[in-house]
Amino acid sequence: MGTTARLKGFIILALLPTLLIYTFFVIVPIFWSAYYGFFDWSGMGDAKFTGLANYIEVIKDEIFWRSLKNNFIIIAASVFGQVPIALVLALLLMKNSFVNRFVRSAVFMPMVLSTVVVGLIWGYMYHPQIGVVNYVLKSLGLESLTRAWLSDPKINMFSVSIPIIWNYIGPYLIIFIAALQNIPSEINDAAKLEGAVGFKKLYYVTLPMIWNTVKVVIVLCIAGSLKAFDQVFVMTGGGPAQSTELLATYMYNNTFEVYRYGYGSAISTMIVIVSMILILISQILMKRKNQ
Amino acid sequence: MKTKKLKLSLVVMLVLSLLLAACSGDKTTGDNAKGKGDKIKLSIWHNYAGDDLRAKAVRKQIDQFEKEHPEVELDKQAIPVDGYRQRLKTVAAANEMPDVFYSYSGSFTEEFYKGNLIQPVSDLWEKKPDWAEKFLPGSKEIFTYDNEVYSAPVGMSATSFLYYNRDLFEKYNVKVPTTWDELMEAIKVFNKNKITPIALGNKATWPAQSSVFGVIADHVTGTEWFMKAIKSDGATFNDPQFIEALNYFKDLVDAKAFQEGANSIDNTQAEQYFVKGNAAMMINGSWAITNLAASSNKEELDKIEVTVVPSIEGGKGKPNTMTGGPGGGFLMSSKVKDKKRELALELMYAISGPEAQKAIAESESLVMYDVDIDESKVSSLYNKAYELVKTVNFAPVYDLYLSSAGGEAINQGLQELMLGGKPKEVAKKLQDAQSKAVK
């Protein structure tokens, strides 16, 4: 037996436990859930086979499409909010001075808070009567701008996006700083010699050098936003009147509040399909760029 | 080669142990039947698992029964409220009900009745007439199916007290409303003086339905219509009287009766908002009494009075009505027989008998039972509320009778109304969801 073959054998063997666990707890339930989607089932008693009825209902369900739209708002807020802010902060905070380290920790801090805590804090900040947001606006004389941030359906999706952006800037900031510090110093020196400074340097030298990292961060952003659940669930529970419903909260409410396990399963299968399509699209777009 | 085998066996052991750990579930159920020795095995499940006074009072009664009956081996399971419904539904699916168990009144209990999982206990009511007659009207009826009583209520859950701040009403010289017009007038005056008329925390979506709308709807449509509509039996939620009920709720919204952003603050925040004197009224359930008593000082509490939500002229409902009734009671599994049944009945009596009712009432929790309590043991607000419920009529709470899909539809629908939705569309959604769930 050659060394490589033995090595390969060991790699497979070592991966086996993880693979098995992953299969049992992730892959199998996905198919299981797709299967439950074919039944009218309340979680107890007999399940009644109804064919594609649940899936057809999902596609016709306007709340499902509203949830999908809301998820896209979160994706947009993350991609166009988190990524640029994290990048700018990374450029400003790259050097290892005391102040920079302090600000970096401050930006990273929300990441170590439980998302439930984040939701509760912001829920209080947005509180229509005692919330600090309305209080600040009032004391600045901007009384006309005060509103019920979480219950006005015209603006509440944007209100819930802000805490999500705030919550997750930290890790992207760290990734960007690492990428920036990985740019070889010769390239920076060469840029200086050639007279590229400020925005010119950023656009022609720095960004191209970290472009791969930017792409990874965008993919992470999209994947994270599709899973968005906790902050919104704590702040609004998907309400009022389902105006901030996300795919995940809608699935949760149908399964565990209304006891329609079959329908909830059908929704979660649709979430898997939508996520796969989105990730496929982003992969194709990135491959093109690479060539 | 040897090391490879070692590695292999290590990996296999790791995988197996992980799988085993994942598969070994807790398999304890309330199983009973063949008692070992002479002792009779009896199991009881309830949700008085907390550390509050009421839970302690109930548990004390059960312990007392155990002490007095050495021949019984009692398997007691106190399950936290959050998981209680699910636990019961799980054992119901496997037909392994505990001998005696606590259940919520309304459609939850009806499911056990329909599934032949419980048996009538009418003989207990007949055997102890002194005890039976002390129950408030409506107690027995809610657990009656086919002329047989299936439970003895232990608690009361009234969902629509009209709490009001006496000081504010006196300060602005407003009459405590007894008719709908007076209520609207009061709302107008308080709004003019920059006081929130009615505090509401509807983030959880059920408070507007359970406390505010349910009682208004009953005033308009009457109870009989509602009981028909939930079965789509000669009445539906598309009927004009239900649209009218929704319109009354919409009138409250349009008159700015509730504070801004009521849909994004929770019930507890609304209670605090009210008790601190920012709102003149609050329509809320009996649970608010305990919450308010626990979180505010005596001075604040003494200002608060309770009454019923004013009735509506020309409506079909009875006046002086409140939604609510027995919150729940203990049921007996249909499998319990003979000597064991005798003991199970005694156990039920121990938890719902006069002594138990008094103990629960003195723990500041309302009961469906007329008993003299020691007033020094309870707060003034509780006392006022208890005196009030002894005189009122009870009407069904909407979500206790609707299917869960129907309940969700009306909860969301009321929020839509608060955001400017149309009553007709809300009614249609409720009817669609309800008829689909009960067909």
Side-chain angles (χ1 to χ4, degrees):
Chain A
M1 234 197 278
T3 333
T4 39
R6 260 175 54 191
L7 196 65
K8 250 188 202 163
F10 180 70
I11 290 174
I12 290 170
L13 208 59
L15 281 178
L16 204 61
T18 327
L19 195 67
L20 272 179
I21 291 172
Y22 189 75
T23 314
F24 269 113
F25 291 104
V26 179
I27 309 284
V28 172
I30 287 177
F31 287 100
W32 219 323
S33 158
Y35 171 71
Y36 280 142
F38 293 111
F39 291 89
D40 180 10
W41 187 42
S42 69
M44 75 174 248
D46 297 330
K48 206 170 73 202
F49 184 79
T50 52
L52 283 169
N54 280 332
Y55 290 95
I56 292 168
E57 197 185 331
V58 173
I59 289 171
K60 284 187 182 160
D61 189 347
E62 83 183 90
I63 310 285
F64 173 78
W65 294 107
R66 189 194 296 166
S67 315
L68 188 61
K69 191 195 90 191
N70 286 343
N71 259 96
F72 278 117
I73 293 179
I74 301 272
I75 293 177
S78 304
V79 172
F80 298 108
Q82 282 166 4
V83 179
I85 295 175
L87 188 59
V88 169
L89 281 175
L91 288 167
L92 292 175
L93 301 173
M94 205 171 68
K95 298 243 162 55
N96 257 331
S97 73
F98 175 75
V99 180
N100 282 357
R101 276 207 303 269
F102 176 77
V103 178
R104 257 190 249 164
S105 323
V107 174
F108 194 75
M109 206 255 321
M111 189 59 204
V112 297
L113 288 179
S114 152
T115 45
V116 175
V117 174
V118 171
L120 283 174
I121 292 174
W122 283 82
Y124 272 107
M125 286 170 59
Y126 283 136
H127 192 290
Q129 278 84 35
I130 58 166
V132 73
V133 176
N134 278 352
Y135 179 79
V136 168
L137 286 174
K138 252 182 223 162
S139 48
L140 288 176
L142 295 168
E143 201 139 4
S144 60
L145 286 181
T146 63
R147 56 202 65 206
W149 296 99
L150 291 176
S151 25
D152 183 347
K154 286 193 208 82
I155 51 163
N156 55 11
M157 263 326 287
F158 302 101
S159 308
V160 298
S161 298
I162 292 171
I164 295 179
I165 294 175
W166 177 75
N167 204 171
Y168 293 125
I169 286 178
Y172 300 134
L173 172 71
I174 303 296
I175 296 175
F176 278 137
I177 288 178
L180 287 173
Q181 284 173 343
N182 269 341
I183 298 175
S185 55
E186 301 90 58
I187 290 182
N188 280 333
D189 291 341
K192 217 184 236 169
L193 280 177
E194 298 288 341
V197 281
F199 276 105
K200 240 182 197 168
K201 184 187 163 201
L202 174 69
Y203 191 75
Y204 288 109
V205 181
T206 314
L207 272 185
M209 287 305 289
I210 61 164
W211 193 241
N212 275 327
T213 311
V214 174
K215 283 197 289 200
V216 169
V217 165
I218 289 175
V219 170
L220 285 178
C221 254
I222 295 175
S225 311
L226 279 168
K227 290 191 298 191
F229 174 81
D230 14 23
Q231 292 97 340
V232 175
F233 188 74
V234 172
M235 274 187 285
T236 68
Q242 299 181 298
S243 55
T244 55
E245 203 82 90
L246 300 176
L247 289 173
T249 59
Y250 190 48
M251 184 268 290
Y252 178 90
N253 285 339
N254 263 299
T255 315
F256 300 107
E257 300 289 330
V258 189
Y259 297 116
R260 293 186 66 197
Y261 279 63
Y263 191 58
S265 301
I267 296 174
S268 47
T269 308
M270 295 299 282
I271 297 177
V272 172
I273 294 171
V274 169
S275 313
M276 282 193 183
I277 292 173
L278 276 181
I279 283 167
L280 201 70
I281 291 174
S282 59
Q283 291 287 338
I284 290 171
L285 285 178
M286 282 177 193
K287 271 220 176 98
R288 285 247 171 93
K289 283 248 171 77
N290 276 348
Q291 280 162 1
Chain B
M1 236 32 225
K2 234 185 190 168
T3 49
K4 198 185 165 193
K5 261 194 189 151
L6 192 68
K7 272 180 202 159
L8 181 70
S9 57
L10 267 175
V11 171
V12 169
M13 267 167 62
L14 183 70
V15 171
L16 279 180
S17 61
L18 277 169
L19 283 179
L20 276 179
C23 293
S24 68
D26 185 7
K27 284 224 172 121
T28 44
T29 50
D31 205 49
N32 39 64
K34 299 134 222 151
K36 49 174 190 265
D38 305 316
K39 282 205 167 184
I40 295 174
K41 274 197 177 180
L42 207 56
S43 58
I44 177 166
W45 281 22
H46 59 83
N47 64 0
Y48 298 98
D51 224 9
D52 53 302
L53 290 172
R54 178 177 65 159
K56 280 183 186 160
V58 173
R59 286 206 300 267
K60 206 173 139 202
Q61 299 298 325
I62 298 174
D63 291 343
Q64 183 79 18
F65 171 87
E66 199 178 14
K67 223 180 272 167
E68 285 165 9
H69 293 86
E71 75 275 22
V72 176
E73 191 182 327
L74 196 60
D75 171 22
K76 300 170 287 187
Q77 298 243 12
I79 297 159
V81 179
D82 292 340
Y84 192 68
R85 282 168 191 259
Q86 280 80 351
R87 282 289 292 273
L88 272 188
K89 282 198 165 190
T90 316
V91 288
N95 197 7
E96 281 177 358
M97 303 307 292
D99 299 328
V100 177
F101 59 96
Y102 178 83
S103 167
Y104 304 95
S105 56
S107 54
F108 195 68
T109 296
E110 197 172 330
E111 276 185 49
F112 295 125
Y113 165 70
K114 279 187 188 154
N116 287 324
L117 294 167
I118 52 175
Q119 59 173 305
V121 292
S122 306
D123 46 336
L124 180 66
W125 289 78
E126 283 154 21
K127 246 189 290 179
K128 303 203 191 280
D130 293 350
W131 163 76
E133 68 178 23
K134 286 270 189 122
F135 277 99
L136 301 182
S139 315
K140 199 156 109 181
E141 287 74 7
I142 201 164
F143 285 113
T144 302
Y145 302 100
D146 254 346
N147 293 323
E148 294 275 11
V149 196
Y150 281 79
S151 175
V154 281
M156 169 197 283
S157 158
T159 67
S160 54
F161 285 98
L162 175 61
Y163 297 85
Y164 64 94
N165 186 320
R166 195 182 52 233
D167 276 15
L168 287 175
F169 271 78
E170 278 168 8
K171 187 174 168 196
Y172 297 106
N173 200 15
V174 185
K175 184 173 181 290
V176 177
T178 52
T179 68
W180 188 259
D181 291 340
E182 284 172 1
L183 178 65
M184 295 310 272
E185 182 58 31
I187 290 169
K188 218 196 273 170
V189 176
F190 285 121
N191 264 333
K192 212 185 285 165
N193 290 294
K194 297 230 149 77
I195 303 259
T196 301
I198 302 174
L200 173 68
N202 195 32
K203 183 175 154 191
T205 74
W206 58 261
Q209 165 265 121
S210 179
S211 295
V212 184
F213 177 69
V215 65
I216 296 174
D218 188 77
H219 283 325
V220 178
T221 67
T223 307
E224 214 177 302
W225 174 90
F226 174 66
M227 297 312 274
K228 278 187 191 160
I230 49 175
K231 295 187 184 106
S232 298
D233 168 22
T236 74
F237 290 104
N238 291 321
D239 289 352
Q241 55 261 59
F242 186 69
I243 311 275
E244 197 192 335
L246 286 171
N247 269 320
Y248 274 106
F249 181 78
K250 198 169 179 322
D251 284 352
L252 286 182
V253 176
D254 291 345
K256 297 213 178 326
F258 310 114
Q259 80 275 34
E260 200 193 7
N263 279 329
S264 63
I265 70 172
D266 61 39
N267 196 34
T268 320
Q269 287 175 329
E271 284 166 3
Q272 289 308 309
Y273 190 71
F274 166 73
V275 80
K276 298 292 174 209
N278 297 311
M281 294 174 272
M282 173 174 75
I283 304 176
N284 212 334
S286 44
W287 49 85
I289 301 169
T290 335
N291 295 353
L292 292 177
S295 62
S296 45
N297 57 43
K298 194 172 176 318
E299 197 188 326
E300 287 167 335
L301 211 56
D302 283 343
K303 283 182 210 161
I304 299 173
E305 301 281 340
V306 281
T307 182
V308 292
V309 174
S311 54
I312 288 166
E313 276 161 60
K316 293 221 174 60
K318 287 186 213 150
N320 197 26
T321 296
M322 186 179 286
T323 47
F330 282 85
L331 306 177
M332 197 195 293
S333 161
S334 50
K335 286 184 188 162
V336 181
K337 283 195 189 74
D338 309 327
K339 175 76 181 144
K340 197 166 147 182
R341 186 168 185 280
E342 296 290 303
L343 286 164
L345 280 179
E346 262 179 66
L347 175 59
M348 282 169 86
Y349 183 73
I351 311 165
S352 58
E355 256 178 67
Q357 302 278 6
K358 188 166 150 66
I360 298 170
E362 283 177 357
S363 70
E364 301 229 334
S365 175
L366 293 173
V367 289
M368 288 297 282
Y369 197 80
D370 191 1
V371 56
D372 290 322
I373 51 171
D374 185 351
E375 284 181 23
S376 63
K377 282 190 183 170
V378 296
S379 71
S380 59
L381 180 61
Y382 173 81
N383 218 354
K384 289 171 197 163
Y386 189 40
E387 288 307 314
L388 179 68
V389 293
K390 284 182 190 173
T391 65
V392 301
N393 300 308
F394 284 105
V397 182
Y398 260 58
D399 59 0
L400 279 183
Y401 284 86
L402 288 169
S403 65
S404 25
E408 177 77 3
I410 182 68
N411 287 353
Q412 297 295 349
L414 291 175
Q415 287 201 334
E416 271 168 43
L417 277 188
M418 293 172 78
L419 299 173
K422 294 205 174 61
K424 259 197 181 150
E425 285 164 22
V426 172
K428 185 173 178 300
K429 274 186 200 159
L430 169 56
Q431 177 60 27
D432 290 350
Q434 178 66 14
S435 61
K436 200 170 152 195
V438 295
K439 77 164 180 234

